[in-house]
Amino acid sequence: KIRLTTMGFKNVYNYGSLDVEFAYNVIKLLKIEPQSKYLLVLYHPIPGEDQSVLEAVLKRFDYPIIRISGNKDYQKETVGERYSPEEFLKLMNGASCVIGNSSSGLKEASIMGVPVVDVGERQQNRLKPENVVQSQYVEDEIYNTINYQLRHGRYEPSDLYYMPETSKKIASAIRSLTS
């Protein structure tokens, strides 16, 4: 809020994140529970980070690995898998640990309490809930951080990005500004 108001924005509200509200409702509505032991990798390739480093780390673990390709950040093409939002949330909630640099690891995983290892600098200036541990893009540091998170296990769900009725509050604010 402070950053936006110093930029000149006058109407700044903190009603939570729409995508986290959606995830929260899906998890509760479908009663999705953690499932089995696997690592979920959500990594968006970025310049200066050699993907072979992360691949070398992952080979050191005796866990099944599910990879969901990154988006087209930095003009890199990826072969995208197709998951419905509900399937994606089920995969995330079932993971022993989420590894990568996706905002989903910070936001949606926070309401599930899934352990997350945020690698590299892509999410460097984002707020991080307790379930997220940052790791530099260095092989041994990533490995040690994943081990820490696997030993820790689930966290209590966080409301850092979640607030009840986010969409209703946003719609109400928009109505009041346009009236």
Side-chain angles (χ1 to χ4, degrees):
K1 180 177 182 178
I2 293 169
R3 186 167 63 174
L4 290 173
T5 54
T6 58
M7 293 171 63
F9 291 95
K10 295 184 184 348
N11 299 307
V12 180
Y13 308 93
N14 181 7
Y15 292 142
S17 172
L18 288 169
D19 48 347
V20 177
E21 177 190 42
F22 174 79
Y24 177 85
N25 290 331
V26 166
I27 296 298
K28 297 300 178 198
L29 182 69
L30 298 179
K31 296 179 175 54
I32 297 174
E33 296 293 330
Q35 302 195 343
S36 63
K37 292 189 175 204
Y38 58 87
L39 304 178
L40 179 62
V41 179
L42 306 174
Y43 180 77
H44 302 274
I46 64 171
E49 291 181 356
D50 180 358
Q51 278 189 266
S52 67
V53 171
L54 183 57
E55 290 306 313
V57 171
L58 295 172
K59 287 178 183 175
R60 294 165 69 179
F61 288 94
D62 188 24
Y63 278 79
I65 296 171
I66 298 174
R67 289 176 178 80
I68 297 182
S69 299
N71 58 22
K72 294 182 183 181
D73 286 1
Y74 304 102
Q75 310 307 315
K76 296 209 178 195
E77 293 287 331
T78 60
V79 178
E81 299 84 0
R82 300 286 184 233
Y83 294 103
S84 71
E86 294 81 6
E87 291 169 327
F88 172 76
L89 294 169
K90 184 176 181 178
L91 280 173
M92 179 176 281
N93 197 46
S96 296
C97 186
V98 173
I99 303 153
N101 59 6
S102 172
S103 62
S104 294
L106 278 62
K107 295 172 72 183
E108 287 91 333
S110 69
I111 60 161
M112 300 174 206
V114 177
V116 175
V117 175
D118 180 37
V119 298
E121 297 183 8
R122 187 168 185 266
Q123 302 296 336
Q124 185 174 11
N125 295 320
R126 301 282 296 264
L127 292 172
K128 292 183 178 71
E130 189 177 326
N131 66 309
V132 177
V133 177
Q134 178 69 39
S135 173
Q136 296 300 312
Y137 202 77
V138 176
E139 185 174 338
D140 285 339
E141 187 174 336
I142 297 168
Y143 177 79
N144 291 334
T145 307
I146 293 170
N147 270 323
Y148 171 83
Q149 288 290 64
L150 289 172
R151 282 191 310 274
H152 186 283
R154 291 278 174 159
Y155 288 78
E156 286 297 315
S158 168
D159 62 357
L160 181 63
Y161 288 100
Y162 173 74
M163 289 187 184
E165 300 186 354
T166 295
S167 52
K168 289 179 183 178
K169 291 174 184 174
I170 291 172
S172 178
I174 291 170
R175 274 193 299 276
S176 72
L177 292 170
T178 58
S179 310

